[in-house]
């Protein structure tokens, strides 16, 4: 029979931190993306993963991985389950398919653009031989970062591109010579007390030399140019509001 001191020592051992794929939860798909030629599609995978953090907290997430077969670059996102429907699937995959987040397949990396209250962007430069290997590598990256992720969550390393009028809870400096983002983008100006960003989309992403050109779409289209350092260069309205 274990002694009291042995029981205490066993109780003091932390739970094994790990990331475990949920059996039979994986599926494959294709998602819209862009490269130097224009609109393309890239293969993607999604699956559920159970995460046991170093200090004992346990969560189930949905992992989405996008892979560029031409360069071997991949990116990944984890999304918390829908609290109203824990079995809901395709959480972040639907965000990509609606082009609220899109990837640009660049030789230097798979550049991930997202558009919610503002623009966020990250260049992913990891390599894998195929989509399945990219899923395994993504799980390994999550596993290696559990101690950090437990405290601050995932992906705090995106760069934010400040756009006046769309920034939510982010203090950023707009260059003094940049015109403000056009009002009425998400809803009519007299309804601006509540303007949900659910219909914000990234209509296209392209490169102009070393700069990036994004066309953002909601009630009208807006062109946003950012330089190679992802600093804002210009903002220009392209179309008139939808009636």
């Amino acid at each position: 029979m274990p002694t009291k001191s042995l029981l205490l020592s066993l109780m003091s051992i932390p739970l094994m931190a790990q990331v475990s794929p949920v059996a039979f939860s994986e599926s494959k798909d294709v998602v819209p993306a862009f490269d130097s030629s224009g609109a393309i599609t890239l293969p993607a995978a999604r699956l559920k993963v159970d995460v046991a953090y170093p200090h004992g907290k346990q969560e189930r997430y949905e992992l989405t991985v996008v892979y560029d077969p031409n360069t071997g670059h991949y990116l990944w996102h984890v999304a918390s389950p829908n609290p109203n429907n824990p079995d809901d699937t395709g959480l972040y995959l639907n965000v990509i398919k609606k082009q609220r987040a899109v990837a640009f397949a660049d030789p230097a990396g798979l550049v991930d653009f997202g558009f919610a209250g503002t623009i966020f962007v990250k260049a992913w430069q990891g390599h894998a031989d195929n989509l399945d290997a990219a899923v395994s590598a993504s799980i390994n990256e999550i596993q290696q970062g559990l101690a950090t992720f437990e405290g601050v969550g995932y992906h705090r390393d995106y760069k934010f591109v400040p756009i006046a009028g769309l920034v939510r809870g982010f203090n950023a400096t707009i260059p003094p010579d940049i015109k403000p983002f056009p009002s009425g983008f998400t809803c009519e100006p007299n309804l601006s007390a509540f303007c949900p960003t659910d219909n914000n989309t990234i209509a296209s992403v392209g490169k102009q030399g070393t700069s990036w050109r994004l066309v953002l779409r909601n009630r009208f289209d807006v062109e946003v140019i950012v330089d190679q350092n992802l600093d804002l260069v210009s903002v220009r309205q392209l179309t008139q509001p939808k009636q």
Side-chain angles (χ1 to χ4, degrees):
M1 182 174 180
T3 64
K4 183 176 180 181
S5 60
L6 177 59
L7 288 173
L8 289 174
S9 64
L10 289 172
M11 291 173 64
S12 67
I13 298 175
L15 295 175
M16 178 68 71
Q18 62 182 354
V19 181
S20 305
V22 176
F24 309 112
S25 66
E26 183 172 350
S27 65
K28 304 289 178 61
D29 210 328
V30 295
V31 296
F34 296 92
D35 67 5
S36 58
S37 67
I40 61 170
T41 58
L42 293 175
R46 66 154 185 83
L47 67 154
K48 301 285 188 180
V49 292
D50 287 327
V51 176
Y53 287 100
H55 289 90
K57 184 177 74 169
Q58 298 186 40
E59 297 279 355
R60 174 166 290 187
Y61 296 99
E62 186 170 81
L63 170 64
T64 302
V65 181
V66 178
Y67 179 71
D68 178 9
N70 290 326
T71 64
H73 294 127
Y74 62 91
L75 63 85
W76 58 265
H77 284 267
V78 288
S80 298
N82 182 345
N84 299 318
N85 184 6
D87 295 325
D88 194 12
T89 59
L91 301 172
Y92 199 79
L93 197 65
N94 289 332
V95 171
I96 301 174
K97 287 190 171 186
K98 293 177 181 178
Q99 289 188 213
R100 299 189 63 203
V102 299
F104 186 94
D106 190 75
L110 196 55
V111 186
D112 187 16
F113 291 90
F115 182 32
T118 189
I119 294 292
F120 58 88
V121 60
K122 176 181 177 179
W124 297 75
Q125 298 176 320
H127 286 84
D129 291 336
N130 51 52
L131 179 57
D132 289 335
V135 171
S136 297
S138 301
I139 291 173
N140 184 62
E141 288 177 28
I142 297 171
Q143 175 80 46
Q144 296 302 315
L146 284 180
T148 298
F149 295 151
E150 183 174 21
V152 300
Y154 295 90
H155 294 332
R156 300 292 181 178
D157 52 350
Y158 276 83
K159 178 163 183 177
F160 288 85
V161 180
I163 302 175
L166 289 182
V167 177
R168 302 285 191 273
F170 179 73
N171 295 322
T173 300
I174 307 298
D177 56 341
I178 300 296
K179 294 181 180 179
F181 199 90
S183 63
F185 181 73
T186 55
C187 60
E188 296 181 24
N190 59 348
L191 300 177
S192 59
F194 177 69
C195 285
T197 61
D198 293 352
N199 294 324
N200 287 352
T201 61
I202 303 173
S204 68
V205 178
K207 294 194 79 172
Q208 296 181 335
T210 59
S211 296
W212 294 94
R213 178 182 185 268
L214 287 75
V215 176
L216 310 181
R217 177 169 295 161
N218 197 310
R219 295 183 65 239
F220 49 83
D221 290 0
V222 173
E223 175 193 74
V224 174
I225 305 293
V226 295
D227 65 19
Q228 60 186 340
N229 297 317
L230 304 175
D231 292 323
L232 188 62
V233 173
S234 66
V235 176
R236 180 169 65 100
Q237 183 172 335
L238 297 179
T239 64
Q240 294 302 308
K242 298 175 183 177
Q243 299 300 321

